[in-house]
Amino acid sequence: MLNVENAGYNGIYLPECRLAMDGSHPEAKYTFITHAHSDHLPGNRQSTVWCTHPTYEFMQRRGFKGKAHIIEFGDTIVLESCRVSVYPAGHILGSAMFFVEKNQQSLFYTGDCRTPASPATEGFDRPDRTDFLVLDATFSLPIYRWKSHDELASELRDFAIQTLNESYTPVFLGYNLGKAQELLHLLAPLNHPMQIHGAGYKLCSIYEKESVDLGDYGAYDRESCEGKILVTTSSALNRGFASNIKIKRVAYCSGWAALESCRTQLNADKLIPISDHIDFFEMLKLCDSMNPQKVYIAHSPNPDVLKYYLEKKGIQAAVI
Amino acid sequence: MSNNSFRNLCLVLQAIRETRGSNAKNRICADYFRSLVSQKDLNLATRFIGEGAFETFSGKRASVGSRTSATAAADFCEIDYEHVFKPCRTATGSSSETIEKLMANLDIARNKRIPCHLPLAEIEQIFESLCLVSGREEKQKILLNTWQRMTPVEIKYFIRILGQGSLRIGFEIRSVVSAIATAFNKDAEQVRYVHMITGSAGKTAVLAKTDCLDEAVFQLFHPLSFMLASPIDNRSVGNLSKYFAEEKFDGMRAQLHTDGHKVKLFSRDLNDVTQSFPEISEFIVNRNLPPTVLDGEICVYKDDTIFPFQLLQKRMGLKNPNIKILKKYPVLFISYDLLYTMKEPIFEKRLSDRRELLENLARTYGIPITRQFDVQNWKDMERLFERALAHGNEGLMLKRKASRYEYGQRKKSWLKVKKPGGSLDTVIMYAHAGNGKRGGTYSDFTLGISVKNDERYEEEFIPIGKAYGGYTDDELRKINENIKELAVERYGPTLGLIPELMVEIEFDDIQVNNRTKAGYTMRLPRFRAIRWDLSPEDANTLKDVEKIYRKKIEQERMRQGVNASILIY
């Protein structure tokens, strides 16, 4: 039996393997990082981690000072305590999932994942089956069912075109690592100049190095941003981003945009529920096909519903 | 797509919802109204958007509660109501939005639905049939049958329209009325006037479309929306001599219609409350009034004294009260405005002119009216305010002499000057997930007072009321951060908290309410401050609450003598 403990803010620790994933643990010998979002990084900026190359580069640009063993998708790393195979998670560029095997037992840790994969990532792949599944359940309610990326891309482009046609400046709100670049990538075919907030801009070249087309983009410049497609975060918008431009329309791009209430909370003109997390229905499919004996429900604000569904299927479920 | 389909109406509603700016919303709605060919469809569409399933003054209700539609939806989607539906509703903060999403997302629900473009007239019949059947099961049968023929967005708005409340698209009745004016290129003021006297958005739209606005006539026994007062803001008052002052009664606002033989009384929400107050009808009929509409206040009145709202409460909602109650809590209708007299609505006249007509009427027929005072300066105001409180009244009203009767609006022509009822230091016991705009946060709070040293109770704290306003966005965020750590139990959308977070609550009044554990409730409770400096030890006790209540009831009340607040000829 592989024991699973909490580690750090969002991560887990496997004591038998002395392996921490997405978090630090005092007894950990190995720390694996799935992706570079800050809630998945080790508390100690000087430590040594295992991660993909893009993840390491993102971490460095965001202030990580430690060392990394670079791992590749498809690799299987043989440690003295266990074997770890690396799968692409489809969440953001470089995001990985880890398949841990020890003594004929296996555990699949998804970190944050998205299937079908975000088009600005290396894709999504997984092992056929696992004994234990630690699942990203951020959106684990049946009110969340994502549209296809094609449909979402047309929603984004239609909003941009319509807004520009009416001589308004379109502003897309999304997190500056991952979502922002995904938006640039999906809007690139419009061939319209785009500007992205500085915090997101400094991460873009890593995407381009991995051959993700981000179109005609530059760093946000207050003086010249009018009439461009703008990409920023909601907090930057509140702090004066493009506040000199009175006629603009704002689209909020997030899984949370599925909820009507964020329209008034964020003062958004348009809600585009484009998420880099797996939706409820894909979670059920994943659990069905990987057939785990137990699922650990992670990152969920309302885990009880998924637990209820899994238990009805005869799959043990626990909240982590 | 056919224009008169319900789906088309719902797409228009959704477009209005997704548009910011009242001009843009107005245009969308006006274009839609213009696109409807038949008068019948226009009438229905306007009603559905502006009022609900039934016309406001019809008093009709479908009586489909949110639990009825929610459990029907859970059945339809074949999901568990407790384990699946309720957590989803907590996340969205809206039952109808949850239903819309589940209907769209779940394959089982998708496969059952074969949307067909139901015409508006058929929706009207469905609303009627829901009104006709009683019992949850019967109503649910109709709901399930209807939803099979709808898209998710239709189902959402069908439920909201059925609820006869706000559609939550940022487009209330006033906006609908101005969209009618835009659609048919009519004077907005005239449309508003016609809406006022007909009391019907649908009829108004049809009159506008057919160029017949001039034909609208006021009808007795159709309630008019009330003119409302704003809280005073000294800066906005300017010259006090432009206002009349009168005492603000601690009673129930009402509108009285009579043709001399028959009397009808309407409450502020336009419900017919005539049967609760037979002595008012009798009094008016005995006075032999000509056809008249009066605006005023119902108060308990005995021994030349006005008694507090708490006593009037014993009469409210009680139909056909018995002799004992009538003797114990006799009521009086005190008029302060005249809206219809000599076969003519006069709400476009200035207040001073209406007042003159009201005084004439009062003198001739002997009906009680408020006394009005001229005030020159704030010193006059203070003197009058103190006297109003001595009479047991709530404070003062300032009414601009030149103002017309601004029905259905809260503007600056009437100002209320009130003394807050008081405040209590309470502890937050439960947090409730918000709805609509506040979905996804905990925005309503059940507040507790201490009964630790009270031999009647075993608990430490018991609820005294629920508040959902008065805090800033920032304070609400801080409370939400804090309650996460204090939460110990979860009941669907409600969190049970360790009693620790102290808030000072301001209220207008304390009332007896025997259905609550404390036996008392607060009227209009709202946050005054989060008291980070206090601990639960400092919470006010039930005994404090009882003291405040007794003080109010037993307060010496100045009789209506020399400086009376009312005039009875």
Side-chain angles (χ1 to χ4, degrees):
Chain A
M1 167 86 193
L2 276 168
N3 284 304
V4 177
E5 297 173 6
N6 282 305
Y9 185 65
N10 254 338
I12 61 163
Y13 178 64
L14 307 179
E16 286 88 347
C17 308
R18 296 190 61 189
L19 171 63
M21 291 185 274
D22 287 354
S24 325
H25 193 278
E27 276 150 40
K29 216 169 152 187
Y30 314 101
T31 302
F32 277 62
I33 300 298
T34 57
H35 68 287
H37 280 149
S38 53
D39 52 339
H40 292 258
L41 297 189
N44 180 358
R45 292 184 162 213
Q46 313 285 346
S47 55
T48 301
V49 300
W50 302 65
C51 65
T52 63
H53 191 258
T55 298
Y56 184 50
E57 285 205 89
F58 289 135
M59 286 167 67
Q60 284 181 314
R61 292 205 192 173
R62 302 178 111 200
F64 181 71
K65 301 271 186 271
K67 294 201 188 78
H69 301 276
I70 299 300
I71 51 179
E72 305 262 347
F73 296 121
D75 278 358
T76 295
I77 298 118
V78 182
L79 304 170
E80 56 192 293
S81 57
C82 60
R83 284 153 50 96
V84 181
S85 307
V86 185
Y87 289 88
H91 172 63
I92 63 169
L93 190 73
S95 65
M97 302 183 282
F98 301 126
F99 185 55
V100 182
E101 292 164 285
K102 181 182 175 69
N103 305 338
Q104 270 91 53
Q105 284 212 312
S106 58
L107 176 143
F108 188 51
Y109 176 70
T110 68
D112 288 347
C113 67
R114 170 70 154 100
T115 177
S118 155
T121 66
E122 298 85 346
F124 178 93
D125 193 17
R126 59 169 178 83
D128 290 336
R129 57 161 313 283
T130 185
D131 295 321
F132 301 100
L133 174 63
V134 184
L135 178 61
D136 168 19
T138 309
F139 291 99
S140 57
L141 291 176
I143 50 174
Y144 302 114
R145 179 172 189 150
W146 311 139
K147 292 178 200 160
S148 73
H149 278 109
D150 286 344
E151 283 172 274
L152 291 165
S154 356
E155 261 188 58
L156 292 166
R157 290 170 202 157
D158 289 350
F159 177 78
I161 293 168
Q162 202 193 334
T163 306
L164 288 166
N165 281 347
E166 291 172 37
S167 302
Y168 279 70
T169 298
V171 181
F172 292 89
L173 302 183
Y175 189 68
N176 53 36
L177 167 55
K179 181 57 58 61
Q181 292 78 16
E182 182 182 43
L183 292 172
L184 292 180
H185 175 67
L186 292 172
L187 292 164
L190 294 180
N191 289 319
H192 189 90
M194 305 187 273
Q195 287 191 356
I196 170 172
H197 182 265
Y201 176 77
K202 67 176 187 190
L203 305 170
C204 286
S205 63
I206 301 172
Y207 271 81
E208 291 186 303
K209 244 195 279 178
E210 300 290 326
S211 311
V212 179
D213 175 21
L214 300 186
D216 172 11
Y217 76 98
Y220 161 67
D221 167 51
R222 190 175 169 84
E223 298 314 314
S224 66
C225 67
E226 184 155 19
K228 312 259 188 335
I229 292 173
L230 304 182
V231 175
T232 187
T233 60
S234 57
S235 58
L237 189 69
N238 288 335
R239 285 196 309 265
F241 179 96
S243 60
N244 53 331
I245 295 171
K246 292 292 167 247
I247 51 166
K248 53 182 182 252
R249 290 225 179 94
V250 177
Y252 177 55
C253 307
S254 160
W256 301 113
L259 302 177
E260 266 293 319
S261 56
C262 60
R263 185 186 300 280
T264 20
Q265 282 162 5
L266 287 163
N267 257 327
D269 294 288
K270 177 88 182 159
L271 302 177
I272 303 180
I274 176 168
S275 176
D276 42 24
H277 293 272
I278 182 171
D279 76 17
F280 177 79
F281 297 88
E282 292 290 339
M283 285 176 209
L284 291 184
K285 263 204 251 169
L286 191 70
C287 294
D288 275 340
S289 51
M290 293 190 81
N291 197 26
Q293 51 172 285
K294 184 169 181 180
V295 173
Y296 292 93
I297 301 172
H299 317 157
S300 176
N302 14 45
D304 294 346
V305 178
L306 182 60
K307 189 164 187 273
Y308 169 83
Y309 271 84
L310 292 176
E311 281 168 358
K312 260 194 0 189
K313 289 174 187 287
I315 300 175
Q316 260 190 74
V319 180
I320 190 162
Chain B
M1 183 183 340
S2 56
N3 252 344
N4 68 347
S5 71
F6 185 64
R7 186 188 304 183
N8 195 26
L9 174 101
C10 294
L11 294 177
V12 169
L13 293 174
Q14 194 61 23
I16 293 174
R17 172 71 177 115
E18 291 176 11
T19 303
R20 280 206 290 179
S22 44
N23 287 339
K25 284 171 185 263
N26 178 289
R27 269 195 304 276
I28 297 173
C29 188
D31 286 346
Y32 172 63
F33 284 157
R34 232 186 348 258
S35 76
L36 293 165
V37 182
S38 88
Q39 294 182 20
K40 166 90 179 161
D41 287 330
L42 175 64
N43 188 335
L44 289 176
T46 320
R47 181 208 300 175
F48 292 164
I49 301 177
E51 303 180 27
F54 306 102
E55 295 195 286
T56 306
F57 69 79
S58 70
K60 257 194 200 171
R61 291 286 184 274
S63 304
V64 175
S66 93
R67 199 185 159 93
T68 302
S69 52
T71 49
D75 277 355
F76 190 98
C77 299
E78 299 179 29
I79 54 169
D80 190 90
Y81 176 70
E82 291 293 328
H83 290 102
V84 182
F85 186 89
K86 278 169 114 183
C88 290
R89 186 181 54 203
T90 306
T92 63
S94 155
S95 184
S96 48
E97 187 187 336
T98 305
I99 294 171
E100 176 192 28
K101 296 230 149 77
L102 295 173
M103 291 284 180
N105 289 353
L106 293 160
D107 289 330
I108 288 175
R110 287 198 220 200
N111 295 338
K112 278 187 198 167
R113 290 186 294 99
I114 304 166
C116 54
H117 296 267
L118 292 169
L120 294 170
E122 188 162 349
I123 301 294
E124 184 194 27
Q125 276 169 16
I126 295 168
F127 288 145
E128 288 292 336
S129 62
L130 279 166
C131 190
L132 284 175
V133 302
S134 54
R136 179 174 283 174
E137 236 168 83
E138 290 295 304
K139 289 183 196 280
Q140 286 184 331
K141 226 187 262 168
I142 298 173
L143 292 179
L144 295 176
N145 187 319
T146 306
W147 293 344
Q148 275 175 17
R149 294 177 287 160
M150 284 181 167
T151 55
V153 70
E154 287 174 86
I155 295 172
K156 172 172 77 178
Y157 287 116
F158 178 83
I159 293 169
R160 291 191 182 167
I161 292 168
L162 200 52
Q164 207 77 15
S166 168
L167 296 182
R168 286 180 257 149
I169 56 171
F171 202 71
E172 303 300 322
I173 180 69
R174 210 179 314 163
S175 313
V176 177
V177 171
S178 79
I180 296 172
T182 311
F184 304 107
N185 204 11
K186 299 289 177 209
D187 175 49
E189 273 305 301
Q190 194 190 7
V191 175
R192 208 170 62 84
Y193 177 81
V194 169
H195 175 240
M196 162 77 179
I197 58 173
T198 58
S200 157
K203 278 191 196 123
T204 306
V206 171
L207 290 171
K209 182 187 170 78
T210 53
D211 296 318
C212 294
L213 286 170
D214 295 331
E215 291 170 17
V217 282
F218 171 77
Q219 284 178 294
L220 263 183
F221 307 116
H222 265 190
L224 306 164
S225 349
F226 286 76
M227 179 164 175
L228 305 172
S230 309
I232 194 165
D233 168 7
N234 288 359
R235 280 162 305 169
S236 64
V237 175
N239 189 350
L240 276 174
S241 63
K242 288 189 174 156
Y243 294 82
F244 289 126
E246 52 190 39
E247 295 187 10
K248 186 178 187 323
F249 302 99
D250 191 11
M252 171 186 163
R253 185 87 182 268
Q255 194 175 94
L256 187 150
H257 292 231
T258 181
D259 59 2
H261 313 287
K262 189 172 125 188
V263 175
K264 264 195 188 300
L265 272 171
F266 298 99
S267 62
R268 242 203 58 184
D269 44 5
L270 308 185
N271 282 320
D272 185 343
V273 294
T274 319
Q275 286 184 21
S276 295
F277 305 102
E279 71 264 57
I280 295 179
S281 299
E282 204 186 310
F283 180 92
I284 295 291
V285 168
N286 286 339
R287 292 300 185 275
N288 241 327
L289 256 80
T292 304
V293 175
L294 296 163
D295 184 6
E297 196 101 357
I298 300 173
C299 291
V300 171
Y301 187 78
K302 204 160 61 164
D303 306 328
D304 297 335
T305 309
I306 295 172
F307 282 87
F309 181 78
Q310 280 81 354
L311 300 192
L312 182 65
Q313 260 194 308
K314 320 253 181 204
R315 295 286 305 269
M316 288 161 68
L318 193 66
K319 277 190 185 163
N320 308 317
N322 60 35
I323 301 271
K324 213 173 115 194
I325 295 272
L326 286 171
K327 274 221 166 103
K328 206 165 166 197
Y329 309 108
V331 298
L332 188 68
F333 181 81
I334 306 165
S335 308
Y336 39 69
D337 219 324
L338 179 64
L339 308 182
Y340 180 86
T341 187
M342 297 184 282
K343 299 190 173 150
E344 216 184 340
I346 58 163
F347 26 79
E348 299 296 311
K349 283 191 196 291
R350 295 149 54 93
L351 171 62
S352 47
D353 297 339
R354 300 200 305 273
R355 175 70 190 186
E356 211 179 299
L357 292 167
L358 178 64
E359 284 176 12
N360 288 341
L361 202 71
R363 260 193 297 273
T364 316
Y365 297 99
I367 52 171
I369 60 172
T370 51
R371 272 186 77 193
Q372 283 191 339
F373 306 94
D374 273 309
V375 276
Q376 300 303 330
N377 49 46
W378 291 100
K379 218 168 159 186
D380 287 353
M381 281 284 291
E382 220 170 284
R383 187 173 45 80
L384 288 172
F385 186 73
E386 289 308 321
R387 195 161 75 203
L389 296 186
H391 278 133
N393 291 329
E394 283 184 318
L396 292 180
M397 293 290 300
L398 280 182
K399 297 181 174 176
R400 208 156 53 80
K401 294 173 185 172
S403 64
R404 49 193 182 107
Y405 192 83
E406 292 155 353
Y407 37 86
Q409 297 184 59
R410 199 179 285 287
K411 283 199 180 166
K412 300 282 179 193
S413 296
W414 284 12
L415 299 166
K416 50 187 171 188
V417 192
K418 265 165 71 169
K419 193 178 158 189
S423 74
L424 289 172
D425 294 326
T426 62
V427 63
I428 301 186
M429 299 178 71
Y430 301 96
H432 311 271
N435 287 318
K437 177 174 153 182
R438 287 161 165 177
T441 51
Y442 290 94
S443 61
D444 301 5
F445 304 95
T446 298
L447 306 155
I449 44 167
S450 170
V451 285
K452 208 179 296 175
N453 302 316
D454 201 317
E455 58 291 343
R456 294 168 291 179
Y457 295 88
E458 285 175 5
E459 299 91 331
E460 275 190 64
F461 298 97
I462 55 166
I464 181 68
K466 208 167 160 187
Y468 36 83
Y471 40 66
T472 62
D473 288 351
D474 203 43
E475 282 175 319
L476 185 62
R477 202 172 312 127
K478 280 195 186 132
I479 297 173
N480 270 272
E481 281 163 19
N482 273 278
I483 55 177
K484 266 182 212 144
E485 285 156 32
L486 297 175
V488 280
E489 297 159 292
R490 177 188 275 279
Y491 320 89
T494 298
L495 289 184
L497 307 179
I498 302 168
E500 200 170 287
L501 213 55
M502 294 291 296
V503 286
E504 185 178 346
I505 294 295
E506 191 175 85
F507 52 83
D508 273 17
D509 211 349
I510 299 264
Q511 295 166 357
V512 169
N513 185 338
N514 290 324
R515 283 170 305 174
T516 64
K517 202 165 218 170
Y520 295 89
T521 46
M522 294 179 283
R523 192 170 169 200
L524 283 182
R526 65 258 174 192
F527 279 57
R528 181 188 271 173
I530 307 175
R531 296 296 300 263
W532 304 106
D533 56 321
L534 296 183
S535 81
E537 300 292 314
D538 304 315
N540 279 112
T541 63
L542 180 59
K543 293 204 166 120
D544 296 334
V545 174
E546 285 165 339
K547 223 181 281 167
I548 298 171
Y549 178 77
R550 265 205 311 278
K551 211 169 137 199
K552 173 85 196 274
I553 294 294
E554 292 162 6
Q555 178 201 342
E556 279 292 320
R557 282 163 190 275
M558 196 159 80
R559 284 176 154 228
Q560 297 293 323
V562 189
N563 287 312
S565 32
I566 58 175
L567 290 169
I568 305 179
Y569 292 98

